[in-house]
Amino acid sequence: MNVHFTKMQGAGNDFAVIDATRAPLALNRTQLQRLGDRRFGVGCDQILVIEASPAAGVDFRYRIFNGSSGEEVEHCGNGARCFVRYVVDKGLTAKRSIRVQTVNKLLELHLQDDGRVTVDMGAPIFTLADLPFVAAGLQPRLQQGFELWRLALPSGPCEVAVLSMGNPHAVQFVADVDAAPVLRVGPEVEHDAHFPRRVNAGFVQIISRSEIKLRVYERSAGETLACGTGACAAVVAGIRLGLLDEAVEVHARGGDLKIEWAGRSAGLDAPVRMTGPAQTVFEGEIEL
Ligand SMILES: N[C@H](CCC[C@H](N)C(=O)O)C(=O)O
């Protein structure tokens, strides 16, 4: 099967975007992994399949798959921004505020005049069973009323805050992200037994109450140059722990994102807003 794709990136997190708005396209896991393979295929962190609107009041639907494993992902912040750039640039919509259905959320997305995209990422989820996180045997330490969990990892203990943006995140705070052992500790956190569906592992360095540096070792993707949901999870955890204010500039290795959450003033079910770049890199065809 010959498949047209558009290669895109948001702050360095890269995607193969497939347009299935005119005709349904079911890719199997082998085909998805081929698309994601950086040597035998296109190469991308995630694959974004855009489909026609599933219902009135919704403009499109999209599905996200991790490029290395072909597994479907619940949520993808950088991918959401690339989706908006794609449908506007391809003339699939004349709107600049777009509603899209993902596997578990209805998102509101806005293309700004400066070309950046703002995404209402929905409210963070703290219910451990919904992450899922199995706390059996662990006693949390509370900081500003938010739990921190001490994981006994093979390379030593580390303390994480856990939450979901629709996909699971474990966030730890370090003195220097550039020196942090992300490639060693990241997979240990990802595969820790307390996360039955594994987890995305964030490493946060606080620069100020409105600025952080972030690295994320993503579930089934390894370290990416940016992770939108990871940036949201890092800021929400920092705000809940009393370390950050409600608007934070996040410096990822591949670019900068702005994350806003009014959880302290408006309640924990306040939505997280993310603003950042999205660009097309090239178009191509591949035989799958
Ligand atoms: N890169 C995506 C997150 C993908 C997360 C995926 N690795 C998972 O298994 O949850 C983002 O920008 O939010």
Side-chain angles (χ1 to χ4, degrees):
M1 169 176 31
N2 188 279
V3 173
H4 179 89
F5 65 87
T6 300
K7 188 74 182 353
M8 301 188 76
Q9 61 85 13
N13 187 192
D14 66 343
F15 304 89
V17 179
I18 309 291
D19 185 343
T21 57
R22 298 172 182 83
L25 179 67
L27 296 173
N28 62 37
R29 183 160 284 207
T30 303
Q31 291 170 319
L32 289 163
Q33 288 175 297
R34 177 83 192 287
L35 269 171
D37 192 303
R38 294 194 183 281
R39 286 171 177 73
F40 296 101
V42 174
C44 59
D45 294 325
Q46 280 91 30
I47 295 121
L48 188 61
V49 180
I50 301 173
E51 300 171 347
S53 166
V58 178
D59 299 302
F60 296 93
R61 172 167 57 191
Y62 68 59
R63 301 177 70 183
I64 301 261
F65 303 87
N66 275 320
S68 64
S69 62
E71 295 160 300
E72 185 155 15
V73 178
E74 304 91 339
H75 201 10
C76 178
N78 292 317
R81 299 199 316 275
C82 288
F83 155 75
V84 171
R85 183 81 269 166
Y86 180 87
V87 295
V88 169
D89 289 354
K90 294 293 184 183
L92 296 180
T93 181
K95 295 181 178 180
R96 292 297 176 267
S97 288
I98 298 164
R99 289 164 59 86
V100 65
Q101 182 66 55
T102 71
V103 69
N104 61 4
K105 285 183 183 262
L106 182 59
L107 301 178
E108 189 85 33
L109 313 163
H110 308 274
L111 178 60
Q112 312 283 15
D113 293 342
D114 66 2
R116 293 192 303 166
V117 181
T118 294
V119 184
D120 173 339
M121 296 287 285
I125 299 159
F126 300 104
T127 311
L128 299 183
D130 294 342
L131 260 76
F133 175 72
V134 178
L138 297 180
Q139 278 305 317
R141 175 175 73 83
L142 291 182
Q143 182 173 317
Q144 298 281 317
F146 190 35
E147 297 91 351
L148 284 162
W149 302 91
R150 185 182 172 85
L151 302 178
L153 302 176
S155 57
C158 93
E159 203 173 48
V160 294
V162 298
L163 66 155
S164 171
M165 287 304 303
N167 58 343
H169 288 270
V171 181
Q172 58 186 284
F173 293 81
V174 298
D176 178 352
V177 281
D178 295 323
V182 172
L183 300 183
R184 173 163 54 82
V185 173
E188 293 181 3
V189 174
E190 176 191 359
H191 294 280
D192 181 81
H194 295 94
F195 299 97
R197 293 181 56 195
R198 294 175 292 119
V199 70
N200 296 284
F203 297 76
V204 184
Q205 177 183 343
I206 302 277
I207 307 295
S208 74
R209 292 190 61 84
S210 59
E211 191 176 1
I212 63 171
K213 288 177 75 174
L214 174 67
R215 291 172 67 183
V216 181
Y217 191 92
E218 286 195 27
R219 178 177 61 172
S220 293
E223 181 174 9
T224 56
L225 292 182
C227 179
T229 51
C232 295
V235 169
V236 168
I239 291 170
R240 286 211 63 188
L241 292 168
L243 303 171
L244 295 173
D245 291 336
E246 295 189 348
V248 178
E249 193 70 17
V250 179
H251 302 300
R253 292 195 142 181
D256 297 335
L257 301 173
K258 182 177 180 187
I259 307 294
E260 298 165 282
W261 185 57
R264 275 194 173 274
S265 54
L268 298 184
D269 60 355
V272 184
R273 279 162 57 89
M274 172 183 63
T275 300
Q279 277 149 8
T280 294
V281 182
F282 63 88
E283 307 272 350
E285 306 275 343
I286 184 168
E287 191 63 35
L288 291 177

